[in-house]
Amino acid sequence: MSLSQGRNLFVTPGPSVIPDRVLNAMHRAAPNIYEGDLVDMTDRILDNLRKVARTSGDPTIYISNGHGVWEAALHNVLQAGDKVLCLSTGTFGSGWADVATAMGIEVELLDFGSSKSFNADRVADALRADQGKFKAILATHTDTSTSITNDIAALRKAIDDTGHHALLMVDCIASLGCEQFEMDAWGVDVMVAACQKGLMVPPGIAFTFHNTKAAQVSENTIRTSPYWNWTLRTNPDVFYMRFNGTPPTHHIFGLDEALKMLVDEEGLDNVWARHTKQAQAIWAAIDIWAEAGAIRCNIQNIADRSSAVTTVVSDTIDLSPLHEWCKDTAGLTLGVGIGFGEYEPNQIFRIGHMGHMNPVMLLGALSTIEAGLNALQIPHGRGAIEAAGRVLAS
Ligand SMILES: *Cc1c(COP(=O)(O)O)cnc(C)c1O
Protein backbone atom coordinates (compact mmCIF):
# COMPACT_ATOMS: atom_id res chain seq x y z
CA MET A 1 0.00 0.00 0.00
CA SER A 2 1.28 3.45 -0.78
CA LEU A 3 0.79 6.02 1.93
CA SER A 4 1.81 8.77 -0.40
CA GLN A 5 -1.03 11.22 -0.92
CA GLY A 6 -0.41 14.90 -0.27
CA ARG A 7 2.56 16.85 -1.55
CA ASN A 8 5.56 14.76 -2.52
CA LEU A 9 9.06 15.94 -1.68
CA PHE A 10 11.92 15.81 -4.17
CA VAL A 11 15.34 16.08 -2.59
CA THR A 12 17.13 15.63 -5.89
CA PRO A 13 19.98 18.13 -6.10
CA GLY A 14 18.39 20.04 -8.96
CA PRO A 15 15.90 20.84 -10.11
CA SER A 16 15.36 21.90 -6.52
CA VAL A 17 12.09 22.77 -4.78
CA ILE A 18 10.45 25.78 -6.46
CA PRO A 19 8.93 28.29 -4.02
CA ASP A 20 5.22 29.01 -4.58
CA ARG A 21 6.16 32.68 -4.83
CA VAL A 22 8.39 31.93 -7.81
CA LEU A 23 5.70 29.82 -9.47
CA ASN A 24 3.10 32.51 -8.87
CA ALA A 25 5.39 35.19 -10.29
CA MET A 26 5.62 33.12 -13.48
CA HIS A 27 1.87 32.57 -13.72
CA ARG A 28 0.85 35.44 -15.94
CA ALA A 29 -0.01 36.40 -19.48
CA ALA A 30 2.68 36.90 -22.12
CA PRO A 31 4.35 40.28 -21.51
CA ASN A 32 5.59 43.02 -23.81
CA ILE A 33 9.14 42.01 -24.75
CA TYR A 34 10.15 45.45 -26.06
CA GLU A 35 9.52 47.77 -23.12
CA GLY A 36 8.10 47.99 -19.63
CA ASP A 37 8.32 45.59 -16.71
CA LEU A 38 10.40 42.92 -18.33
CA VAL A 39 13.12 45.31 -19.49
CA ASP A 40 13.33 47.10 -16.12
CA MET A 41 13.32 43.81 -14.27
CA THR A 42 16.26 42.49 -16.24
CA ASP A 43 18.51 45.31 -15.05
CA ARG A 44 17.51 44.53 -11.47
CA ILE A 45 18.21 40.83 -12.06
CA LEU A 46 21.69 41.56 -13.39
CA ASP A 47 22.43 43.65 -10.29
CA ASN A 48 21.17 40.92 -8.01
CA LEU A 49 23.12 38.26 -9.90
CA ARG A 50 26.27 40.31 -9.27
CA LYS A 51 25.40 40.40 -5.60
CA VAL A 52 24.85 36.64 -5.43
CA ALA A 53 28.18 36.01 -7.17
CA ARG A 54 29.95 38.79 -5.20
CA THR A 55 31.34 40.37 -8.32
CA SER A 56 31.40 43.65 -10.16
CA GLY A 57 31.96 41.64 -13.36
CA ASP A 58 29.44 40.99 -16.11
CA PRO A 59 26.71 38.37 -15.87
CA THR A 60 25.35 36.94 -19.12
CA ILE A 61 22.00 35.13 -19.26
CA TYR A 62 21.55 32.28 -21.73
CA ILE A 63 18.48 30.20 -22.53
CA SER A 64 20.28 27.01 -21.61
CA ASN A 65 21.04 24.49 -18.91
CA GLY A 66 24.37 24.01 -17.15
CA HIS A 67 25.85 21.98 -19.98
CA GLY A 68 25.22 24.93 -22.30
CA VAL A 69 27.09 27.45 -20.20
CA TRP A 70 30.02 25.04 -19.77
CA GLU A 71 30.30 25.39 -23.54
CA ALA A 72 29.53 29.13 -23.58
CA ALA A 73 32.27 29.92 -21.08
CA LEU A 74 34.88 27.86 -22.91
CA HIS A 75 33.85 29.26 -26.30
CA ASN A 76 34.44 32.86 -25.25
CA VAL A 77 37.99 32.54 -23.97
CA LEU A 78 39.47 29.46 -25.67
CA GLN A 79 39.95 28.08 -29.16
CA ALA A 80 40.65 24.65 -30.57
CA GLY A 81 44.29 23.79 -29.89
CA ASP A 82 44.50 25.80 -26.66
CA LYS A 83 45.55 23.94 -23.55
CA VAL A 84 43.76 23.88 -20.18
CA LEU A 85 44.24 22.24 -16.81
CA CYS A 86 41.06 20.65 -15.48
CA LEU A 87 40.67 19.68 -11.83
CA SER A 88 38.17 16.93 -11.15
CA THR A 89 36.56 15.70 -7.93
CA GLY A 90 33.64 13.90 -9.55
CA THR A 91 31.49 13.41 -12.61
CA PHE A 92 30.80 17.09 -13.21
CA GLY A 93 34.48 18.04 -13.09
CA SER A 94 35.35 15.42 -15.68
CA GLY A 95 32.16 16.32 -17.60
CA TRP A 96 33.39 19.88 -18.18
CA ALA A 97 36.74 18.46 -19.30
CA ASP A 98 34.93 16.23 -21.82
CA VAL A 99 33.10 19.25 -23.26
CA ALA A 100 36.43 21.07 -23.66
CA THR A 101 37.97 18.04 -25.37
CA ALA A 102 35.01 17.79 -27.75
CA MET A 103 35.60 21.46 -28.67
CA GLY A 104 39.16 20.64 -29.71
CA ILE A 105 40.76 22.06 -26.56
CA GLU A 106 43.70 20.11 -25.20
CA VAL A 107 42.91 19.04 -21.65
CA GLU A 108 45.29 17.93 -18.93
CA LEU A 109 43.08 16.32 -16.30
CA LEU A 110 44.11 16.27 -12.65
CA ASP A 111 41.83 13.73 -11.03
CA PHE A 112 41.61 13.99 -7.24
CA GLY A 113 39.32 10.99 -6.91
CA SER A 114 35.87 11.01 -5.41
CA SER A 115 36.34 11.38 -1.65
CA LYS A 116 38.63 14.38 -1.11
CA SER A 117 38.88 17.97 -2.33
CA PHE A 118 41.66 19.42 -4.52
CA ASN A 119 45.21 19.16 -3.29
CA ALA A 120 46.71 22.63 -3.83
CA ASP A 121 50.31 21.29 -3.92
CA ARG A 122 49.51 19.00 -6.83
CA VAL A 123 47.91 21.91 -8.69
CA ALA A 124 50.98 24.09 -8.04
CA ASP A 125 53.28 21.29 -9.28
CA ALA A 126 51.28 20.95 -12.49
CA LEU A 127 51.39 24.73 -13.05
CA ARG A 128 55.16 24.92 -12.42
CA ALA A 129 55.76 22.06 -14.85
CA ASP A 130 53.63 23.72 -17.51
CA GLN A 131 55.82 26.72 -18.55
CA GLY A 132 52.86 28.97 -19.19
CA LYS A 133 50.99 26.93 -21.82
CA PHE A 134 47.74 26.48 -19.87
CA LYS A 135 45.37 29.25 -20.86
CA ALA A 136 42.81 28.34 -18.23
CA ILE A 137 42.24 26.25 -15.15
CA LEU A 138 38.80 24.65 -14.92
CA ALA A 139 37.55 23.87 -11.43
CA THR A 140 34.27 22.77 -9.85
CA HIS A 141 33.26 24.49 -6.63
CA THR A 142 30.85 21.75 -5.50
CA ASP A 143 30.72 18.51 -7.45
CA THR A 144 27.13 17.33 -7.19
CA SER A 145 27.95 13.67 -7.86
CA THR A 146 30.37 13.15 -4.95
CA SER A 147 29.21 16.16 -2.86
CA ILE A 148 32.80 17.39 -2.54
CA THR A 149 33.28 21.14 -2.08
CA ASN A 150 36.60 22.61 -3.11
CA ASP A 151 38.38 25.54 -1.50
CA ILE A 152 38.55 28.04 -4.36
CA ALA A 153 40.43 30.69 -2.33
CA ALA A 154 43.18 28.14 -1.59
CA LEU A 155 43.27 27.21 -5.26
CA ARG A 156 43.72 30.89 -6.20
CA LYS A 157 46.59 31.15 -3.73
CA ALA A 158 48.28 28.08 -5.19
CA ILE A 159 47.98 29.61 -8.67
CA ASP A 160 49.35 32.98 -7.49
CA ASP A 161 52.27 31.29 -5.69
CA THR A 162 53.42 29.88 -9.02
CA GLY A 163 52.89 33.20 -10.83
CA HIS A 164 50.85 31.42 -13.51
CA HIS A 165 48.62 33.74 -15.55
CA ALA A 166 45.94 31.24 -16.67
CA LEU A 167 42.31 32.25 -16.27
CA LEU A 168 40.57 30.65 -13.32
CA MET A 169 37.16 29.30 -14.44
CA VAL A 170 34.81 27.86 -11.83
CA ASP A 171 31.61 25.81 -12.08
CA CYS A 172 29.23 27.05 -9.34
CA ILE A 173 26.15 25.41 -10.82
CA ALA A 174 25.43 23.49 -7.61
CA SER A 175 26.77 25.98 -5.09
CA LEU A 176 25.65 29.45 -6.16
CA GLY A 177 23.07 30.78 -3.72
CA CYS A 178 23.86 27.97 -1.25
CA GLU A 179 27.52 28.08 -0.25
CA GLN A 180 29.85 30.99 0.27
CA PHE A 181 31.40 32.05 -3.00
CA GLU A 182 33.33 35.29 -3.54
CA MET A 183 34.06 35.72 -7.22
CA ASP A 184 36.10 38.94 -6.95
CA ALA A 185 37.75 38.37 -3.57
CA TRP A 186 38.82 34.86 -4.60
CA GLY A 187 40.14 36.04 -7.97
CA VAL A 188 37.83 33.96 -10.14
CA ASP A 189 37.88 35.17 -13.76
CA VAL A 190 34.96 33.22 -15.21
CA MET A 191 32.13 31.51 -13.37
CA VAL A 192 29.20 29.46 -14.62
CA ALA A 193 25.86 28.82 -12.90
CA ALA A 194 22.32 27.72 -13.70
CA CYS A 195 18.91 28.69 -12.34
CA GLN A 196 17.50 25.37 -11.14
CA LYS A 197 19.59 24.64 -8.06
CA GLY A 198 20.28 27.24 -5.38
CA LEU A 199 18.44 29.87 -7.42
CA MET A 200 15.14 27.93 -7.14
CA VAL A 201 13.79 28.56 -10.69
CA PRO A 202 12.65 25.79 -13.09
CA PRO A 203 15.48 24.69 -15.42
CA GLY A 204 15.87 26.78 -18.55
CA ILE A 205 18.27 29.66 -18.00
CA ALA A 206 21.93 29.62 -17.11
CA PHE A 207 24.66 32.17 -16.57
CA THR A 208 28.26 33.06 -17.20
CA PHE A 209 30.03 35.75 -15.19
CA HIS A 210 33.31 37.25 -16.31
CA ASN A 211 35.72 39.95 -15.17
CA THR A 212 37.79 42.42 -17.22
CA LYS A 213 40.74 40.02 -17.53
CA ALA A 214 38.43 37.43 -19.12
CA ALA A 215 36.84 40.13 -21.31
CA GLN A 216 40.28 41.03 -22.67
CA VAL A 217 41.06 37.39 -23.40
CA SER A 218 37.71 37.00 -25.18
CA GLU A 219 38.47 39.99 -27.43
CA ASN A 220 41.50 38.11 -28.73
CA THR A 221 39.64 34.82 -29.13
CA ILE A 222 38.14 33.82 -32.47
CA ARG A 223 34.54 32.97 -31.66
CA THR A 224 32.55 31.16 -34.30
CA SER A 225 29.25 30.83 -32.44
CA PRO A 226 27.14 34.00 -32.47
CA TYR A 227 24.82 32.42 -29.91
CA TRP A 228 27.43 31.78 -27.21
CA ASN A 229 29.35 35.03 -27.84
CA TRP A 230 28.90 37.08 -24.69
CA THR A 231 30.03 40.49 -26.05
CA LEU A 232 26.75 41.75 -27.52
CA ARG A 233 24.80 40.18 -24.70
CA THR A 234 26.71 42.16 -22.10
CA ASN A 235 26.56 45.44 -24.06
CA PRO A 236 23.33 45.23 -26.05
CA ASP A 237 22.17 48.09 -28.29
CA VAL A 238 18.61 46.82 -28.02
CA PHE A 239 17.05 44.64 -25.36
CA TYR A 240 16.61 41.46 -27.43
CA MET A 241 20.38 41.25 -28.00
CA ARG A 242 20.82 40.46 -24.34
CA PHE A 243 19.29 37.09 -25.14
CA ASN A 244 20.26 36.90 -28.80
CA GLY A 245 16.54 36.63 -29.61
CA THR A 246 13.28 36.33 -27.68
CA PRO A 247 13.88 36.60 -23.95
CA PRO A 248 12.89 33.73 -21.64
CA THR A 249 9.99 35.84 -20.40
CA HIS A 250 8.53 33.72 -17.62
CA HIS A 251 11.89 32.56 -16.34
CA ILE A 252 12.80 36.22 -15.94
CA PHE A 253 9.72 36.82 -13.77
CA GLY A 254 10.54 33.75 -11.71
CA LEU A 255 14.20 34.61 -11.31
CA ASP A 256 13.42 38.18 -10.29
CA GLU A 257 11.21 36.87 -7.47
CA ALA A 258 13.78 34.26 -6.37
CA LEU A 259 16.58 36.85 -6.26
CA LYS A 260 14.38 39.20 -4.25
CA MET A 261 13.89 36.41 -1.72
CA LEU A 262 17.62 35.62 -1.52
CA VAL A 263 19.21 39.05 -1.79
CA ASP A 264 16.67 41.62 -0.61
CA GLU A 265 14.80 39.64 2.03
CA GLU A 266 16.84 36.82 3.56
CA GLY A 267 20.27 38.25 2.75
CA LEU A 268 23.07 36.18 1.28
CA ASP A 269 24.95 35.70 4.57
CA ASN A 270 21.79 34.26 6.13
CA VAL A 271 21.20 32.07 3.09
CA TRP A 272 24.69 30.58 3.48
CA ALA A 273 24.30 30.18 7.24
CA ARG A 274 20.96 28.41 6.79
CA HIS A 275 22.47 25.97 4.32
CA THR A 276 25.38 25.29 6.67
CA LYS A 277 23.11 24.59 9.62
CA GLN A 278 20.76 22.36 7.66
CA ALA A 279 23.67 20.45 6.18
CA GLN A 280 25.14 19.90 9.65
CA ALA A 281 21.81 18.46 10.78
CA ILE A 282 21.78 16.05 7.87
CA TRP A 283 25.37 14.95 8.52
CA ALA A 284 24.60 14.43 12.21
CA ALA A 285 21.85 11.97 11.22
CA ILE A 286 23.87 10.15 8.57
CA ASP A 287 26.96 9.89 10.77
CA ILE A 288 24.82 8.11 13.37
CA TRP A 289 23.24 5.77 10.80
CA ALA A 290 26.80 5.03 9.69
CA GLU A 291 27.70 3.54 13.08
CA ALA A 292 26.12 0.25 11.97
CA GLY A 293 28.42 0.06 8.93
CA ALA A 294 25.88 -0.24 6.08
CA ILE A 295 25.71 3.35 4.82
CA ARG A 296 27.85 6.46 5.33
CA CYS A 297 28.59 9.95 4.04
CA ASN A 298 30.82 9.71 0.98
CA ILE A 299 33.06 12.46 2.37
CA GLN A 300 34.77 11.90 5.72
CA ASN A 301 36.44 15.28 6.14
CA ILE A 302 33.83 17.85 7.22
CA ALA A 303 35.64 20.73 5.48
CA ASP A 304 35.31 18.90 2.15
CA ARG A 305 31.54 18.39 2.52
CA SER A 306 29.12 20.53 0.52
CA SER A 307 26.32 22.28 2.33
CA ALA A 308 24.12 22.03 -0.79
CA VAL A 309 24.11 18.26 -1.40
CA THR A 310 25.16 15.14 0.49
CA THR A 311 26.11 11.87 -1.17
CA VAL A 312 25.52 8.71 0.85
CA VAL A 313 27.23 5.45 -0.17
CA SER A 314 27.10 1.81 0.83
CA ASP A 315 30.02 -0.61 0.51
CA THR A 316 27.75 -3.60 1.01
CA ILE A 317 24.14 -2.91 0.14
CA ASP A 318 22.01 -2.37 -2.95
CA LEU A 319 20.17 0.87 -2.19
CA SER A 320 17.60 0.62 -5.01
CA PRO A 321 14.93 -0.80 -2.67
CA LEU A 322 15.45 2.20 -0.36
CA HIS A 323 14.99 4.60 -3.29
CA GLU A 324 11.81 2.72 -4.25
CA TRP A 325 10.40 2.50 -0.72
CA CYS A 326 10.91 6.23 -0.13
CA LYS A 327 9.35 7.17 -3.46
CA ASP A 328 6.49 4.70 -3.78
CA THR A 329 5.42 4.25 -0.18
CA ALA A 330 6.26 7.62 1.30
CA GLY A 331 6.37 10.22 -1.50
CA LEU A 332 10.04 11.16 -1.05
CA THR A 333 12.24 11.13 -4.16
CA LEU A 334 15.93 10.86 -3.29
CA GLY A 335 18.68 11.99 -5.64
CA VAL A 336 19.82 9.15 -7.88
CA GLY A 337 23.35 7.86 -7.60
CA ILE A 338 25.79 8.99 -10.27
CA GLY A 339 28.44 6.24 -10.22
CA PHE A 340 32.03 7.15 -9.30
CA GLY A 341 35.14 5.35 -8.08
CA GLU A 342 34.18 1.84 -7.04
CA TYR A 343 30.53 2.76 -6.47
CA GLU A 344 27.74 1.75 -8.83
CA PRO A 345 24.68 4.02 -8.98
CA ASN A 346 22.67 1.53 -6.86
CA GLN A 347 25.17 1.89 -3.98
CA ILE A 348 24.44 5.60 -3.73
CA PHE A 349 21.71 8.02 -2.81
CA ARG A 350 21.96 11.79 -2.62
CA ILE A 351 20.08 14.33 -0.57
CA GLY A 352 19.82 17.74 -2.16
CA HIS A 353 19.47 20.32 0.59
CA MET A 354 19.79 23.35 -1.63
CA GLY A 355 17.45 26.25 -2.05
CA HIS A 356 13.94 26.39 -0.67
CA MET A 357 14.24 24.01 2.32
CA ASN A 358 13.25 24.23 5.95
CA PRO A 359 13.47 21.92 8.98
CA VAL A 360 10.02 20.46 8.29
CA MET A 361 11.21 19.26 4.90
CA LEU A 362 14.64 18.16 6.15
CA LEU A 363 13.41 16.29 9.21
CA GLY A 364 10.61 14.82 7.10
CA ALA A 365 13.14 13.55 4.58
CA LEU A 366 15.49 12.16 7.24
CA SER A 367 12.68 10.47 9.19
CA THR A 368 11.33 8.96 5.99
CA ILE A 369 14.74 7.59 5.07
CA GLU A 370 15.02 6.13 8.56
CA ALA A 371 11.59 4.54 8.24
CA GLY A 372 12.78 3.02 4.96
CA LEU A 373 15.96 1.70 6.60
CA ASN A 374 13.76 0.06 9.23
CA ALA A 375 11.28 -1.31 6.70
CA LEU A 376 14.07 -2.87 4.66
CA GLN A 377 16.08 -4.00 7.70
CA ILE A 378 19.15 -2.05 6.63
CA PRO A 379 21.41 -1.78 9.71
CA HIS A 380 21.75 1.75 11.09
CA GLY A 381 22.71 3.48 14.33
CA ARG A 382 19.91 4.73 16.61
CA GLY A 383 19.09 8.32 17.53
CA ALA A 384 19.84 9.96 14.17
CA ILE A 385 16.72 12.10 13.94
CA GLU A 386 17.16 13.32 17.49
CA ALA A 387 20.74 14.28 16.66
CA ALA A 388 19.60 16.21 13.58
CA GLY A 389 17.00 18.01 15.67
CA ARG A 390 19.62 18.95 18.25
CA VAL A 391 21.77 20.56 15.56
CA LEU A 392 18.81 22.55 14.25
CA ALA A 393 17.93 23.68 17.77
CA SER A 394 21.48 24.69 18.68
C1 LIG B 1 23.78 20.19 -12.34
C2 LIG B 1 25.21 20.46 -12.59
C3 LIG B 1 25.72 20.57 -13.88
C4 LIG B 1 24.90 20.33 -15.11
O1 LIG B 1 23.82 21.19 -15.22
P1 LIG B 1 22.63 20.86 -16.24
O2 LIG B 1 21.69 21.98 -16.05
O3 LIG B 1 22.07 19.53 -15.83
O4 LIG B 1 23.20 20.80 -17.60
C5 LIG B 1 27.05 20.89 -14.02
N1 LIG B 1 27.85 21.07 -12.95
C6 LIG B 1 27.38 20.95 -11.69
C7 LIG B 1 28.31 21.16 -10.55
C8 LIG B 1 26.06 20.63 -11.47
O5 LIG B 1 25.59 20.51 -10.22
Side-chain angles (χ1 to χ4, degrees):
M1 177 180 67
S2 173
L3 302 172
S4 163
Q5 299 302 316
R7 185 176 281 201
N8 290 348
L9 180 59
F10 292 80
V11 292
T12 50
S16 64
V17 172
I18 306 165
D20 289 344
R21 277 180 59 183
V22 171
L23 289 171
N24 290 339
M26 299 176 80
H27 191 96
R28 63 169 82 194
N32 188 335
I33 60 167
Y34 304 103
E35 61 184 26
D37 263 9
L38 195 76
V39 178
D40 303 340
M41 196 176 278
T42 301
D43 288 333
R44 180 162 73 218
I45 284 176
L46 293 168
D47 276 348
N48 276 338
L49 284 173
R50 285 189 187 93
K51 287 180 187 157
V52 171
R54 301 271 184 148
T55 184
S56 60
D58 279 322
T60 309
I61 305 174
Y62 296 90
I63 298 182
S64 166
N65 58 16
H67 281 70
V69 288
W70 270 349
E71 194 169 320
L74 297 171
H75 186 73
N76 275 287
V77 292
L78 296 159
Q79 287 163 218
D82 285 346
K83 202 172 165 193
V84 299
L85 180 68
C86 185
L87 317 180
S88 171
T89 52
T91 312
F92 290 98
S94 54
W96 201 7
D98 290 344
V99 171
T101 303
M103 291 169 72
I105 295 161
E106 195 187 324
V107 175
E108 184 169 319
L109 186 71
L110 272 189
D111 190 342
F112 296 91
S114 49
S115 59
K116 282 202 188 87
S117 63
F118 302 154
N119 174 322
D121 293 339
R122 265 184 73 194
V123 177
D125 288 347
L127 293 177
R128 282 199 193 92
D130 164 61
Q131 297 167 335
K133 289 216 184 65
F134 293 129
K135 291 210 160 159
I137 299 159
L138 313 186
T140 315
H141 186 206
T142 287
D143 200 301
T144 326
S145 61
T146 53
S147 70
I148 294 170
T149 288
N150 290 293
D151 184 341
I152 302 299
L155 173 61
R156 175 81 256 172
K157 186 170 178 307
I159 298 168
D160 288 347
D161 287 350
T162 65
H164 206 290
H165 59 265
L167 291 175
L168 175 57
M169 304 175 69
V170 179
D171 172 348
C172 290
I173 296 172
S175 55
L176 193 72
C178 307
E179 308 185 72
Q180 184 179 9
F181 177 78
E182 308 276 355
M183 178 157 171
D184 289 357
W186 294 353
V188 173
D189 300 301
V190 178
M191 187 266 275
V192 297
C195 69
Q196 79 271 22
K197 297 187 180 177
L199 301 184
M200 313 183 293
V201 173
I205 52 178
F207 316 98
T208 59
F209 297 76
H210 65 274
N211 64 12
T212 46
K213 180 177 171 189
Q216 277 159 10
V217 172
S218 68
E219 272 170 30
N220 298 318
T221 303
I222 296 169
R223 289 169 286 178
T224 50
S225 159
Y227 191 78
W228 290 137
N229 190 322
W230 63 32
T231 306
L232 277 181
R233 288 170 178 260
T234 36
N235 298 299
D237 297 330
V238 285
F239 181 67
Y240 83 85
M241 285 181 177
R242 207 171 263 303
F243 302 95
N244 203 353
T246 308
T249 50
H250 288 64
H251 276 78
I252 292 174
F253 290 120
L255 180 63
D256 185 51
E257 189 71 15
L259 290 171
K260 266 190 215 160
M261 292 169 71
L262 293 174
V263 177
D264 300 340
E265 295 171 21
E266 189 176 359
L268 209 52
D269 292 313
N270 293 332
V271 171
W272 294 336
R274 170 168 58 84
H275 280 83
T276 303
K277 176 76 110 184
Q278 295 186 347
Q280 286 166 344
I282 287 176
W283 306 333
I286 298 170
D287 288 344
I288 287 185
W289 289 335
E291 288 166 6
I295 58 172
R296 63 174 175 81
C297 277
N298 178 47
I299 310 302
Q300 299 304 320
N301 184 6
I302 303 278
D304 294 349
R305 288 181 181 176
S306 162
S307 53
V309 54
T310 296
T311 301
V312 179
V313 294
S314 177
D315 294 301
T316 49
I317 286 179
D318 175 6
L319 293 171
S320 327
L322 182 67
H323 279 276
E324 280 157 30
W325 190 92
C326 287
K327 177 164 61 72
D328 298 339
T329 306
L332 171 71
T333 302
L334 300 172
V336 297
I338 299 177
F340 52 79
E342 67 269 35
Y343 295 102
E344 297 294 325
N346 69 350
Q347 293 174 282
I348 302 168
F349 69 83
R350 292 179 302 153
I351 303 174
H353 32 97
M354 50 180 55
H356 197 56
M357 296 288 270
N358 64 21
V360 174
M361 297 153 89
L362 283 182
L363 291 171
L366 291 171
S367 307
T368 302
I369 294 167
E370 188 168 280
L373 295 173
N374 281 319
L376 300 165
Q377 297 180 342
I378 297 172
H380 57 282
R382 303 286 148 172
I385 306 304
E386 207 184 319
R390 266 200 303 274
V391 172
L392 292 171
S394 67

